[in-house]
């Protein structure tokens, strides 16, 4: 079995009405339920969009420092992620596609080690 992360950057979501987002919730929940029932779901969650609440831990100077906010300015930031454990890349692609269809925006699928 191999683990994969399926994720999206918040900027990929696009502008939609509240009704549109409300219609996607049940679809996304159904996709997560399918993953859980198939025994491949490890973890799934959205990520807090408040970038000022992010915490950066930086030990590159030899002294560990913590600060709030992003480590570096960025045009994109992660909006949500799912971790799965599947037999192969094709299974990861299938589940990533299922999440993309349910959510209504693109998903990136990458193996994790």
């Amino acid at each position: 079995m191999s683990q994969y992360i399926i994720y999206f950057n918040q900027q990929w979501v696009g502008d939609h009405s509240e009704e549109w987002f409300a219609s996607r919730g049940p679809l996304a929940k159904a996709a997560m339920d399918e993953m859980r029932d198939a025994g491949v779901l490890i973890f799934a969650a959205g990520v807090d969009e408040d970038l000022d609440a992010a915490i950066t831990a930086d030990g590159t100077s030899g002294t560990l420092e913590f600060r709030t906010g992003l480590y570096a300015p960025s045009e994109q930031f992660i909006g949500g992620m799912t971790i799965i454990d599947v037999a192969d890349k094709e299974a990861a692609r299938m589940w990533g596609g299922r999440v993309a269809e349910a959510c209504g925006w693109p998903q990136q699928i990458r193996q994790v080690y």
Side-chain angles (χ1 to χ4, degrees), residues 27-105:
L27 300 174
K29 181 183 180 322
M32 295 303 113
D33 289 344
E34 288 176 37
M35 288 182 190
R36 191 174 293 107
D37 292 346
V40 302
L41 181 65
I42 294 174
F43 176 81
V47 177
D48 187 353
E49 294 179 37
D50 181 2
L51 302 182
D52 293 331
I55 301 168
T56 297
D58 183 357
T60 58
S61 69
T63 302
L64 182 59
E65 296 179 28
F66 294 94
R67 43 186 186 277
T68 57
L70 295 178
Y71 174 70
S74 177
E75 292 182 20
Q76 296 190 354
F77 56 91
I78 292 177
M81 64 179 184
T82 302
I83 308 281
I84 57 174
D85 193 5
V86 294
D88 54 34
K89 184 187 279 188
E90 289 308 309
R93 289 171 52 116
M94 186 274 298
W95 287 115
R98 179 71 181 91
V99 172
E101 288 177 330
C103 289
W105 53 78

Side-chain angles (χ1 to χ4, degrees), residues 1-15:
M1 300 291 275
S2 300
Q3 293 183 347
Y4 287 81
I5 183 171
I6 303 166
Y7 68 93
F8 66 92
N9 286 332
Q10 190 62 41
Q11 292 72 15
W12 303 349
V13 173
D15 294 324

